[in-house]
C-alpha cells in the first residue's frame, strides 16, 4: 500500500466544529470524515479513480476473532476442570 498523503487544510472554525460533531456522530475522526466526504463527492461527480483503496471502516478496529477464540477456549477449559473438582468436593461434603 502506498504512503498516505498529508495536506494542510485551512477551515473556518465554525465549519471545523460542525465537521468534528458530524464525525463524532458517525464514530469517525475528523480526518476520516473529511476523507469520506471527499470520496463521496468524487464518486458522485464520476471522478473517483477505479484503483482507489478502500477507506477504513468507522469506529475502533475489531480484535481478531482467532486470538479471542483461542483465549476463550483455554479459559473455558480451565474453568471446566476447576468447576468439575469443586462440584465433586461439594457433593461429598454434604
Amino acid at each position: 500500500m502506498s504512503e498516505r498523503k498529508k495536506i494542510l487544510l485551512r477551515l473556518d472554525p465554525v465549519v471545523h466544529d460542525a465537521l468534528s460533531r458530524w464525525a463524532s456522530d458517525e464514530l469517525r475522526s475528523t480526518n476520516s470524515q473529511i476523507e469520506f466526504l471527499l470520496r463521496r463527492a468524487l464518486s458522485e461527480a464520476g471522478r473517483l479513480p477505479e484503483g482507489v483503496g478502500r477507506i477504513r471502516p468507522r469506529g475502533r478496529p475489531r480484535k481478531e476473532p482467532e486470538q479471542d477464540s483461542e483465549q476463550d477456549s483455554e479459559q473455558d477449559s480451565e474453568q471446566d476442570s476447576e468447576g468439575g473438582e469443586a462440584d465433586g468436593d461439594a457433593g461429598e461434603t454434604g
Side-chain angles (χ1 to χ4, degrees), residues 39-55:
R39 285 171 180 253
R40 186 167 70 181
L42 285 167
S43 179
E44 289 173 359
R47 294 180 170 265
L48 187 67
E50 288 185 23
V52 71
R54 292 181 47 126
I55 195 167

Side-chain angles (χ1 to χ4, degrees), residues 3-85:
E3 185 177 331
R4 298 180 62 83
K5 299 287 185 176
K6 299 175 187 178
I7 64 167
L8 175 64
L9 180 63
R10 292 178 182 86
L11 296 173
D12 182 293
V14 177
V15 171
H16 182 270
D17 290 343
L19 273 169
S20 293
R21 284 191 305 274
W22 189 5
S24 179
D25 292 345
E26 298 284 327
L27 301 176
R28 291 187 178 101
S29 67
T30 303
N31 188 75
S32 293
Q33 186 70 9
I34 291 169
E35 184 175 3
F36 170 79
L37 294 171
L38 288 171
R39 285 171 180 253
R40 186 167 70 181
L42 285 167
S43 179
E44 289 173 359
R47 294 180 170 265
L48 187 67
E50 288 185 23
V52 71
R54 292 181 47 126
I55 195 167
R56 256 189 66 222
R58 53 187 173 163
R60 292 185 176 174
R62 294 181 181 206
K63 293 182 181 177
E64 292 187 22
E66 296 173 355
Q67 293 174 349
D68 291 341
S69 299
E70 291 173 355
Q71 291 174 355
D72 290 343
S73 298
E74 291 172 9
Q75 289 175 355
D76 290 342
S77 297
E78 290 173 8
Q79 288 176 356
D80 288 345
S81 64
E82 291 172 4
E85 293 171 10

